[in-house]
């Protein structure tokens, strides 16, 4: 009951669905022509099915997942599903663009670097799965996987989706609201998992920064850029300014904020 | 009125060209302009007054089916001049769509945001796990909406 302090918008006929995949909640809000129909149910099922398949291939938790067998050398890249090469390529691009702040080869307890593309997979998989929803004519959707979100508005006469950004120091409060018609927002930080993001160059977590939210056209890159910016710590603003983002919100360890582009602060 | 129809047709053509422009890999572009653009429907957004020339009127073009999806344009005319062009429908899932939406979005920071009154649809935060979900704001939203 205590968590029910938020009221969903009831105007506009928003229909919601939730499932758990990849160890995180997948939430969907829909409105418009097909939002409440069997077509929407089928599209939603396709989203969930595809995310489950992705999880089976890319999970670093499952001993026998494709990605772990690839890491151990039991599989060659050519023997893996085509998506594996696509994700690894994204990971390499991200590593280059972030000066190494983002990497899919992460230090592990054993000291050996381990193949872990999780940082690419989530945003990429959600963006890809959202295509099933985009196929519903005249229907808007807002798809969230553990707090990273793809928004789409099919008819511009309907309002933007309103996305609340969680306060990194208090997960029950919001620090900002962002209206997004079509686009994606990803937030990186440590609010829910203690220091799960580490700098691949040092093996330590960044300091000085509490969370980074990035708004871009695609969740694939919003997610990568939010993670890389967070790992950049104090240098996050400078690094993000060179990225093709639409907007960003940085929350510092002391609770102060910086918005990008810079004129949003005035 | 005739001029307006011509305006409207050309506006739709421009918009379709706009969508067609960014298609180095696609051969067709403006050729996809449908003839339906010449039969716009007309609606009046405000009560017609005795001097219609100063009244805002909106005209909606027919939905043009392009290979990227439906495009529909609405124009607002005041005193014989187009004062506003609105794209009512635009294709989704293509690059041009992404670019049209590429403006910076405002981030509304308010130290006193009351979650109760924030009127939000979804919550973005550092990865929420299934274990943590029950306690999250998103769970409250999902629950309230179902």
């Amino acid at each position: 009951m205590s968590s029910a302090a938020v009221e969903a918008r009831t105007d506009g006929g928003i229909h919601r669905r939730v499932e758990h995949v990849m160890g995180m909640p997948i939430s969907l809000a829909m409105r418009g022509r097909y939002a409440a129909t069997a077509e929407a149910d089928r599209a939603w099922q396709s989203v969930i099915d595809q995310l489950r398949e992705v999880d089976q291939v890319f999970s670093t938790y499952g001993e026998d997942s494709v990605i772990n067998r690839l890491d151990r050398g039991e599989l060659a890249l050519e023997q893996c599903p085509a998506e594996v090469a696509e994700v690894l390529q994204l990971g390499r691009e991200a590593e280059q663009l972030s000066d190494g702040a983002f990497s899919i080869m992460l230090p592990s307890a054993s000291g050996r670097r381990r193949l872990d593309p999780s940082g690419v997979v989530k945003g990429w998989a959600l963006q890809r799965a959202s295509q099933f929803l985009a196929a519903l004519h005249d229907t808007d959707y807002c798809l969230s996987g553990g707090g990273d979100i793809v928004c789409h508005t099919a008819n511009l006469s309907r309002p933007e989706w309103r996305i609340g950004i969680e306060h990194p120091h208090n997960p029950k409060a919001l620090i900002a609201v962002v209206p997004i018609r079509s686009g994606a927002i990803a937030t990186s930080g440590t609010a829910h998992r203690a220091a799960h993001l580490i700098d691949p160059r040092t093996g330590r977590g960044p300091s000085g920064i509490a969370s980074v939210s990035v708004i871009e056209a695609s969740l694939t890159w919003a997610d990568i850029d939010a993670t890389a910016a967070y790992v950049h710590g104090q240098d996050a603003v400078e690094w993000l300014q060179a990225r093709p983002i639409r907007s960003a919100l940085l929350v510092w360890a002391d609770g102060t904020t910086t918005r990008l582009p810079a004129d949003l602060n005035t | 009125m005739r001029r307006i129809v011509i305006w409207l047709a050309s506006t739709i053509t421009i918009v379709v060209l706009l969508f067609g422009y960014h298609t180095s890999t696609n051969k067709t572009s403006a050729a996809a302009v449908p003839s339906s653009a010449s039969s716009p429907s007309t609606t009046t957004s405000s009560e017609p007054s005795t001097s219609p020339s100063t009244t805002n009127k909106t005209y909606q073009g027919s939905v043009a089916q392009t290979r990227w999806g439906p495009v529909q344009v609405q124009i607002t005319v005041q005193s014989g001049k187009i004062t506003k062009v609105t794209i009512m429908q635009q294709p989704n899932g293509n690059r041009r769509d992404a670019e049209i939406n590429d403006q910076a979005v405002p981030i509304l920071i308010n130290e006193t945001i009351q979650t109760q009154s924030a009127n939000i649809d979804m919550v973005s935060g550092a990865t929420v796990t299934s274990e943590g979900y029950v306690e999250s704001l998103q769970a409250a939203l999902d629950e309230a909406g179902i």
Side-chain angles (χ1 to χ4, degrees):
Chain A
M1 278 308 290
S2 62
S3 63
V6 179
E7 283 177 23
R9 287 211 293 192
T10 47
D11 57 315
I14 293 177
H15 298 267
R16 290 176 183 272
R17 296 167 171 87
V18 190
E19 290 264 354
H20 291 260
V21 186
M22 301 159 98
M24 66 185 177
I26 312 293
S27 302
L28 173 68
M30 291 184 108
R31 64 186 182 200
R33 189 179 298 178
Y34 290 102
T37 64
E39 282 88 343
D41 289 336
R42 277 196 292 275
W44 173 234
Q45 193 55 50
S46 299
V47 168
I48 297 301
D49 288 348
Q50 191 181 67
L51 291 177
R52 290 215 167 101
E53 280 168 34
V54 166
D55 190 34
Q56 289 201 328
V57 172
F58 290 99
S59 172
T60 53
Y61 296 100
E63 265 301 286
D64 290 323
S65 70
V66 169
I67 213 72
N68 280 346
R69 292 174 65 199
L70 180 67
D71 186 39
R72 291 195 298 263
E74 296 165 18
L75 282 179
L77 186 56
E78 304 79 56
Q79 295 171 287
C80 301
E83 303 90 79
V84 174
E86 186 184 340
V87 163
L88 296 190
Q89 179 56 32
L90 265 176
R92 279 190 290 270
E93 275 176 52
E95 183 162 357
Q96 267 185 347
L97 288 168
S98 66
D99 310 319
F102 190 103
S103 177
I104 56 172
M105 296 303 295
L106 296 180
S108 68
S110 68
R112 186 179 78 89
R113 285 193 174 245
R114 185 168 182 248
L115 178 61
D116 185 350
S118 311
V120 184
V121 168
K122 187 183 171 192
W124 167 83
L126 285 163
Q127 183 67 47
R128 191 169 75 124
S130 72
Q131 290 305 306
F132 293 113
L133 307 171
L136 297 169
H137 181 65
D138 194 30
T139 305
D140 307 342
Y141 58 84
C142 190
L143 174 69
S144 168
D148 294 338
I149 301 169
V150 182
C151 301
H152 177 73
T153 304
N155 187 324
L156 295 187
S157 66
R158 289 194 286 264
E160 297 100 344
W161 291 104
R162 284 173 62 83
I163 311 301
I165 298 179
E166 196 179 80
H167 199 300
H169 296 151
N170 176 9
K172 294 227 183 288
L174 301 176
I175 193 160
V177 175
V178 191
I180 302 177
R181 231 182 210 113
S182 293
I185 177 167
T187 298
S188 281
T190 53
H192 290 273
R193 279 187 202 167
H196 78 289
L197 285 175
I198 54 167
D199 189 332
R201 298 164 299 189
T202 63
R204 290 196 300 273
S207 63
I209 192 158
S211 77
V212 182
S213 301
V214 174
I215 297 116
E216 280 187 51
S218 143
L219 186 57
T220 307
W221 282 97
D223 192 20
I224 291 171
D225 286 340
T227 305
Y230 179 76
V231 170
H232 272 292
Q234 311 279 7
D235 302 327
V237 171
E238 196 186 339
W239 183 76
L240 273 176
Q241 275 170 336
R243 294 289 302 144
I245 64 168
R246 283 164 64 182
S247 303
L249 172 70
L250 299 95
V251 184
W252 304 101
D254 64 3
T256 57
T257 57
T258 303
R259 278 176 286 183
L260 293 174
D263 54 14
L264 287 182
N265 294 304
T266 56
Chain B
M1 184 60 209
R2 184 170 205 87
R3 274 179 57 173
I4 287 165
V5 171
I6 293 165
W7 259 105
L8 185 62
S10 61
T11 306
I12 291 173
T13 306
I14 288 164
V15 169
V16 173
L17 279 170
L18 198 66
F19 284 105
Y21 177 72
H22 197 77
T23 53
S24 51
T25 55
N26 295 318
K27 288 281 183 274
T28 58
S29 57
V33 178
S35 56
S36 60
S38 59
S39 57
S41 64
T42 305
T43 55
T44 308
S45 64
S46 57
E47 285 296 308
S49 70
T50 48
S51 55
S53 62
T54 57
T55 311
N56 268 333
K57 280 192 174 182
T58 60
Y59 301 87
Q60 282 181 13
S62 306
V63 176
Q65 293 298 334
T66 72
R67 58 179 299 159
W68 303 278
V71 178
Q72 187 180 22
V73 179
Q74 175 182 291
I75 58 171
T76 304
V77 178
Q78 187 173 25
S79 305
K81 284 183 181 161
I82 293 181
T83 54
K84 194 178 171 193
V85 178
T86 310
I87 303 170
M88 302 289 286
Q89 283 191 40
Q90 57 177 294
N92 46 40
N94 67 71
R95 182 87 189 106
R96 173 56 59 177
D97 177 36
E99 284 177 19
I100 280 177
N101 285 306
D102 235 5
Q103 314 95 346
V105 297
I107 297 174
L108 319 166
I109 294 193
N110 189 339
E111 298 303 329
T112 59
I113 288 178
Q114 296 294 314
T115 48
Q116 292 89 339
S117 60
N119 214 14
I120 53 167
D121 297 307
M122 214 54 104
V123 177
S124 182
T127 301
V128 178
T129 59
S130 290
E131 293 81 28
Y133 173 70
V134 179
E135 289 289 304
S136 71
L137 289 174
Q138 185 62 52
L141 272 178
D142 291 335
E143 202 176 310
I146 286 173

